[in-house]
Amino acid sequence: MARTKSKYRIGKMTTIDYIIFVLMLVIALFILIPFWNVIMISFSTPKEYADNPLMMFPKNPTLDSYKALFADGSIFRGYWNTLKLLIVGLPLSLFLTSSMAYGLSRNKFPGKKIIFFLVLFTMIFNGGIVPLYLVMKSLHLTGSLWSVILAGSFSAFNMILMMNYFQSLPESLMESARLDGAGEWRILFSVVLPLAMPIMATITLFYGVAYWNSWYDAMIFLRKAEQLPLQNVLRSIIVESTTNASNASSVDAVGKQGFSTGMKMAAVVVTMVPIMCFFPMLQKHFAKGVLTGAIKT
Amino acid sequence: MKPAALGPDKDPKERKHNGSILTEIWKHKMTYTLLIPGLIWLILFAYLPMGGLSLAFKHYKANLGIWGSPWVGLENFTYVFRDPTFIDALWRTLYINIIKLVIQFPFPIILAVLLNELRMRRTKKLFQTVLTFPHFLSWIIVSGVVINVLSYDGLVNSSLALLGLPTINFLGSEKTFIPMLLLTDIWKSTGWGAIIYLAAISGIDQDQYESAQIDGASRMQQMFRITLPNILPTVTIMFILSVGGLMSSGFDQIFNLANAATKNVSEVLDVYIYRITFQSSTDFSFSTAVSLFRSVVNMVLLLLADRVAKWMGGDGLFR
């Protein structure tokens, strides 16, 4: 972003700058207001929501919706299952991705092009869900959280991002480590990875978000309700119970539905909060990581 | 097939002049060990399922497994193309995705140019954070938010009522469902889509802007004459990728936003595949045939778009 330093950036604000600013502000509010509304509904009483669905500030904030939600217990189970996914899946993903990315970023060896093509090909073509399901079944992984972990533990796109970043590191570093007698694995862990924090943070964010948001694999591979990750629990709370509610207009439904709306919104908030916390922290890394990873032509 | 933007560096000294191929392999034995974990994953969870696509040409019998089931040639495909619900789902998918491609595609470009023109650095960062945030949420969370805001007694309808306007059952009527798909997707993905264009813009040589300013070019002129032409290669690549997804994508969104009232307009190909595989029947051969058809068409479209882009003088995805 050398551009911010150039003359182009300096100077007085003109009309066009104000117009752009206002436009951006409107777009940002367009994004923020729905979230604000959801959060506020989760803190309001059913009656207040029924009276005033616009709800920007509840007069009597209450935690009732959250209490009712947690009393159910399924949210906790979902959280725990998602945590298991992250604890096992993230290190595995980073291991698979970085070892392969480092291997492929190293100068040349016989078969490199073929292996790279094999990775690349998975980005434009895949077997689809039925063969994957049958493979999981024949490996006796269906019905276990491992199926969800393994299905999501490698992404060709992330590998290529990381590979491009590794290629931007000076070869002389690895060369001198090699002269000191370090093996390739040693070089990966003690030379390359410490130098690659921006891309590591980015890829961790990508895999982390993918695990956090995964639900389709779980819906297909898992059988018992108590194994399901958080997203599936959330889905059963909001989507499945809303199927008929969106056209429910009868007056007597309002009171009861108001309460469940609060609970649903509390569930949305609870599922969203970790991403809200981590995302701004990691964002500065991924801007840098994606830039160096993707735009190296 | 090698990507122009992503491939490993080409080395002119690729051909070694001493030693046989075996000594060369032995020399790099350590490097191969780095690749083994990833390759095992690829074989198990990418290439084995690809082999499983042979089911499309077989009659799957659970007790015989993928490999033991008898071959039936193209029989599954003749069934597929005789199924009117498949044909409906196919056209609906293309219809929705073409609408999305045409209307939605320019939004991230416009947003990136606007963000780039924003002079206040900190504010720019803040806007960027807010605008990319929805991308990181699942469609389940987003549909929770969207259903709440657009529902009969939600934010939008309450506002309409307050203004004395008629309320609209946005997600509960067939007429408004597809426009809502477009709108919610724009809402969720524009900010993230803009990141890649912003990156491309930040790579533009500053001298071009400086000399344009010396020549007295206005901000608008700089935008149209420098910024946009310079990001055209990125635009082309993004367009090719979107064309390659014309037959799929959108499952999460549609599956989570659809309801009983919009059943007739929401069954796209992915939803259809899911339904025939895991809900109504369990004819794995039939649904594998459908998804093989979809994947092949997607791939052909991708390669075609790539060809067209190169034919028009742009950078393609593959060399």
Side-chain angles (χ1 to χ4, degrees):
Chain A
M1 316 233 169
R3 141 167 253 185
T4 34
K5 286 177 203 143
S6 81
K7 282 179 197 149
Y8 182 66
R9 293 281 119 178
I10 307 166
K12 280 206 190 98
M13 294 272 288
T14 56
T15 326
I16 194 166
D17 290 309
Y18 287 113
I19 293 173
I20 290 171
F21 177 77
V22 171
L23 207 63
M24 297 312 299
L25 194 67
V26 171
I27 297 173
L29 286 176
F30 191 64
I31 302 270
L32 284 175
I33 288 175
F35 288 116
W36 183 257
N37 187 242
V38 164
I39 296 168
M40 288 307 124
I41 291 172
S42 75
F43 285 116
S44 62
T45 58
K47 191 184 172 305
E48 197 176 357
Y49 172 67
D51 291 346
N52 178 21
L54 284 175
M55 190 66 66
M56 282 297 133
F57 297 99
K59 279 190 217 79
N60 312 303
T62 163
L63 289 173
D64 287 355
S65 302
Y66 289 91
K67 279 180 199 153
L69 179 69
F70 288 130
D72 180 46
S74 59
I75 277 279
F76 281 123
R77 269 208 311 271
Y79 248 97
W80 176 232
N81 288 329
T82 296
L83 272 181
K84 282 196 268 190
L85 277 183
L86 285 168
I87 292 167
V88 183
L90 263 185
L92 180 67
S93 295
L94 290 173
F95 172 74
L96 287 174
T97 310
S98 60
S99 60
M100 191 147 204
Y102 174 63
L104 284 176
S105 73
R106 282 310 89 218
N107 21 24
K108 64 257 157 186
F109 52 84
K112 172 176 161 172
K113 277 189 177 167
I114 300 163
I115 294 172
F116 182 69
F117 177 77
L118 283 180
V119 178
L120 194 72
F121 189 66
T122 62
M123 281 174 82
I124 55 172
F125 195 80
N126 62 66
I129 193 67
V130 173
L132 183 63
Y133 174 78
L134 292 174
V135 166
M136 287 289 179
K137 212 174 142 195
S138 62
L139 293 170
H140 302 288
L141 289 169
T142 45
S144 138
L145 215 49
W146 278 106
S147 57
V148 182
I149 294 171
L150 286 167
S153 52
F154 183 83
S155 134
F157 177 78
N158 289 350
M159 201 289 290
I160 290 172
L161 272 188
M162 204 181 247
M163 191 187 82
N164 283 340
Y165 192 94
F166 288 168
Q167 268 167 3
S168 72
L169 298 173
E171 177 64 28
S172 53
L173 279 170
M174 295 121 207
E175 213 48 69
S176 64
R178 241 168 248 144
L179 288 177
D180 290 342
E184 297 295 328
W185 285 96
R186 182 81 192 279
I187 296 174
L188 170 64
F189 286 113
S190 41
V191 179
V192 174
L193 290 188
L195 285 172
M197 282 341 267
I199 195 71
M200 289 306 278
T202 307
I203 302 297
T204 309
L205 175 74
F206 286 176
Y207 278 123
V209 167
Y211 281 121
W212 188 265
N213 286 339
S214 69
W215 60 279
Y216 187 69
D217 290 342
M219 181 172 78
I220 283 165
F221 298 144
L222 300 180
R223 294 185 190 116
K224 297 186 198 112
E226 60 266 28
Q227 290 179 314
L228 291 176
L230 186 57
Q231 298 288 338
N232 299 70
V233 175
L234 178 69
R235 189 182 142 79
S236 67
I237 293 175
I238 53 167
V239 182
E240 277 154 22
S241 60
T242 316
T243 316
N244 300 311
S246 61
N247 34 14
S249 50
S250 58
V251 187
D252 57 299
V254 171
K256 201 163 176 257
Q257 202 198 318
F259 179 71
S260 63
T261 304
M263 252 177 92
K264 283 177 204 167
M265 293 307 115
V268 170
V269 173
V270 164
T271 313
M272 199 165 63
V273 156
I275 294 200
M276 278 167 99
C277 299
F278 282 110
F279 167 71
M281 264 160 48
L282 287 159
Q283 209 224 4
K284 65 171 195 276
H285 287 294
F286 83 63
K288 214 173 159 192
V290 172
L291 277 186
T292 24
I295 305 303
K296 216 201 118 240
T297 30
Chain B
M1 280 202 301
K2 198 173 166 213
L6 305 169
D9 289 336
K10 221 184 175 146
D11 197 334
K13 292 181 291 181
E14 195 94 345
R15 302 239 165 262
K16 71 265 164 244
H17 12 22
N18 53 351
S20 72
I21 186 104
L22 285 173
T23 51
E24 195 67 12
I25 289 174
W26 184 247
K27 210 177 96 193
H28 292 284
K29 57 185 185 302
M30 288 286 274
T31 311
Y32 292 114
T33 65
L34 287 165
L35 302 173
I36 288 170
L39 281 175
I40 292 174
W41 189 92
L42 279 177
I43 290 166
L44 281 180
F45 302 113
Y47 284 93
L48 230 86
M50 273 188 223
L53 282 172
S54 60
L55 270 189
F57 308 97
K58 288 183 170 191
H59 183 64
Y60 179 69
K61 291 200 169 104
N63 53 333
L64 298 173
I66 299 180
W67 316 114
S69 299
W71 294 93
V72 292
L74 294 173
E75 196 182 90
N76 290 312
F77 289 92
T78 47
Y79 285 135
V80 169
F81 288 104
R82 262 190 231 140
D83 180 3
T85 49
F86 163 78
I87 304 291
D88 281 351
L90 176 66
W91 289 123
R92 195 172 297 124
T93 309
L94 284 173
Y95 173 68
I96 292 175
N97 284 334
I98 288 173
I99 288 183
K100 274 191 180 176
L101 183 63
V102 171
I103 300 180
Q104 199 177 350
F105 189 78
F107 278 83
I109 305 172
I110 298 167
L111 185 66
V113 172
L114 284 177
L115 266 174
N116 180 59
E117 291 296 323
L118 205 64
R119 293 198 187 187
M120 299 145 279
R121 267 181 88 186
R122 310 258 317 261
T123 332
K124 187 173 149 183
K125 273 264 160 66
L126 194 69
F127 279 141
Q128 231 172 300
T129 309
V130 171
L131 296 174
T132 46
F133 177 63
H135 168 82
F136 289 89
L137 302 174
S138 68
W139 267 108
I140 298 179
I141 299 181
V142 173
S143 70
V145 174
V146 165
I147 290 170
N148 170 57
V149 169
L150 296 181
S151 71
Y152 199 77
D153 46 9
L155 190 64
V156 177
N157 272 323
S158 306
S159 311
L160 287 176
L162 217 63
L163 296 169
L165 296 165
T167 55
I168 303 162
N169 195 354
F170 292 101
L171 292 167
S173 100
E174 293 185 359
K175 247 198 306 193
T176 49
F177 187 71
I178 290 173
M180 286 306 115
L181 288 182
L182 187 66
L183 196 75
T184 52
D185 203 15
I186 289 174
W187 185 84
K188 185 177 191 285
S189 65
T190 302
W192 176 252
I195 293 269
I196 191 95
Y197 295 114
L198 268 177
I201 291 174
S202 77
I204 299 175
D205 190 359
Q206 279 312 299
D207 296 349
Q208 292 189 27
Y209 288 101
E210 271 159 35
S211 54
Q213 279 163 57
I214 293 166
D215 292 345
S218 70
R219 290 269 291 277
M220 279 300 202
Q221 281 169 326
Q222 292 176 41
M223 222 189 283
F224 283 104
R225 297 280 166 81
I226 302 174
T227 312
L228 287 178
N230 269 301
I231 62 170
L232 201 62
T234 314
V235 173
T236 320
I237 287 179
M238 297 313 281
F239 194 80
I240 295 171
L241 289 175
S242 313
V243 170
L246 274 186
M247 293 282 282
S248 54
S249 75
F251 177 82
D252 285 24
Q253 180 191 20
I254 293 172
F255 194 67
N256 288 309
L257 285 176
N259 52 55
T262 53
K263 209 171 57 200
N264 290 328
V265 290
S266 63
E267 193 172 89
V268 293
L269 220 44
D270 286 303
V271 178
Y272 170 79
I273 292 172
Y274 169 75
R275 191 174 58 77
I276 60 168
T277 312
F278 297 103
Q279 281 184 336
S280 49
S281 67
T282 40
D283 187 345
F284 282 168
S285 287
F286 182 83
S287 59
T288 306
V290 179
S291 63
L292 177 62
F293 169 76
R294 187 202 53 179
S295 301
V296 168
V297 174
N298 266 341
M299 200 171 76
V300 169
L301 283 173
L302 185 78
L303 297 175
L304 261 178
D306 179 58
R307 267 294 139 81
V308 172
K310 261 182 283 189
W311 177 69
M312 285 167 65
D315 289 331
L317 205 55
F318 308 105
R319 239 174 232 163

